[in-house]
Amino acid sequence: MGRLFHEFGPGMQPLRFLWSLAHGKSHDGTMLFRVRSLGHQPISVRPGTSDLVVLYETFGASYDAPPSILSKEKATRIWDLGANIGLTVALYAAAFPLARISAVELDAANAELARTNTITFGSRCEIITGAVWFEDGEIEYVIDAGMEHGAHVTEAANSPTRNSRAWSLNTLFKNDDLIDFVKMDIEGAEALVLTRNTEWSTKVACLKVECHSPYTVAQAVADLEPLGYEVEQESRHWASVFAIKPFLVGQSPTLPSH
């Protein structure tokens, strides 16, 4: 928590954060914070929701920090799979000023707030509403009560569901020659995405995967190593791994000057 409050800087923001934990709404439905890592640019969260968890995990616990092997001078292409309200998209945009970032978020309300939270970075950030899946098509998903950060594909017929368009990574990445970094937090879909239609992996230099039960870190390692990755458990999060192809790191072409 102390690291998060440091990100807020001086003033009333830590008190506002604590207030927002206990209240279900503000006058306009969101609460604004300015964060050091974003150059004090504003981000919005919905009080009384799991947005507060995402705020802490992103700027307090640093769960989704990219691998240190990435260079801010060379990284030009990043994908954020499972962007939620866009805090990690904003974090990567600030950390890698030459990078163009595309993000996929399953829930439409989360995706809309993600667009608000990344508007400062203009055309460098793109938010796509839909699902990451092992093939293109339509899926059903659910959001568990109070878990706005956990929209996930379901096969449970008795669960209240919503529908979404879905894309494979082969389709999403088809116009990219090389991708410097992919963050994958897709609430269980990783078990299929990492084992079926994996041609996309030849162009991804670094990959961070959060594993969701019953899929385990050991299974992720076993699935990623045959794709040519060196894999290690991520030190900040017990259920995440980094997968790296060192020969691809830093090979992205330099963006043209404007």
Side-chain angles (χ1 to χ4, degrees):
M1 193 67 74
R3 181 181 177 91
L4 177 61
F5 289 172
H6 173 76
E7 285 281 7
F8 288 161
M12 293 293 292
Q13 290 195 109
L15 294 178
R16 294 174 66 226
F17 176 80
L18 293 172
W19 181 92
S20 66
L21 287 173
H23 292 75
K25 61 182 178 180
S26 61
H27 70 282
D28 65 350
T30 63
M31 182 167 283
L32 199 68
F33 293 94
R34 294 183 182 274
V35 181
R36 287 181 188 269
S37 293
L38 304 182
H40 298 284
Q41 295 295 330
I43 54 94
S44 296
V45 300
R46 296 163 293 196
T49 73
S50 61
D51 291 359
L52 281 302
V53 175
V54 177
L55 181 64
Y56 169 73
E57 290 179 345
T58 304
F59 298 108
S62 300
Y63 285 163
D64 291 312
S68 59
I69 195 172
L70 286 185
S71 166
K72 71 176 183 179
E73 291 83 14
K74 294 183 178 181
T76 61
R77 191 68 174 115
I78 294 172
W79 278 83
D80 186 341
L81 309 178
N84 196 257
I85 61 171
L87 303 189
T88 48
V89 182
L91 179 67
Y92 301 151
F96 301 99
L98 298 181
R100 182 167 59 92
I101 303 166
S102 293
V104 184
E105 169 52 35
L106 178 54
D107 183 65
N110 287 344
E112 189 59 33
L113 189 52
R115 294 184 184 97
T116 298
N117 282 331
T118 57
I119 195 169
T120 298
F121 301 100
S123 61
R124 285 208 295 130
C125 296
E126 170 193 27
I127 309 296
I128 301 166
T129 304
V132 176
W133 197 229
F134 69 92
E135 62 183 355
D136 299 345
E138 297 284 328
I139 55 90
E140 291 186 337
Y141 72 98
V142 297
I143 299 181
D144 297 329
M147 298 290 286
E148 293 80 6
H149 68 301
H152 56 276
V153 178
T154 182
E155 296 179 355
N158 295 326
S159 300
T161 61
R162 309 176 191 185
N163 296 320
S164 174
R165 185 176 177 184
W167 299 275
S168 70
L169 294 192
N170 290 332
T171 296
L172 290 171
F173 298 169
K174 66 180 180 181
N175 294 324
D176 292 318
D177 295 324
L178 186 67
I179 300 168
D180 295 284
F181 178 54
V182 173
K183 186 213 89 179
M184 183 182 295
D185 183 3
I186 51 178
E187 302 296 330
E190 67 276 2
L192 290 172
V193 170
L194 295 180
T195 55
R196 300 178 65 174
N197 301 327
T198 57
E199 294 83 1
W200 55 269
S201 64
T202 61
K203 62 175 72 176
V204 175
C206 299
L207 179 68
K208 178 185 179 294
V209 180
E210 182 171 335
C211 304
H212 299 82
S213 181
Y215 192 66
T216 66
V217 164
Q219 287 174 304
V221 173
D223 290 335
L224 286 163
E225 286 183 340
L227 299 180
Y229 288 102
E230 297 177 5
V231 189
E232 62 180 26
Q233 186 165 349
E234 208 279 309
S235 61
R236 297 182 183 88
H237 192 277
W238 65 273
S240 295
V241 299
F242 276 132
I244 297 174
K245 293 183 177 179
F247 66 92
L248 287 180
V249 175
Q251 296 302 308
S252 285
T254 302
L255 290 177
S257 58
H258 295 282

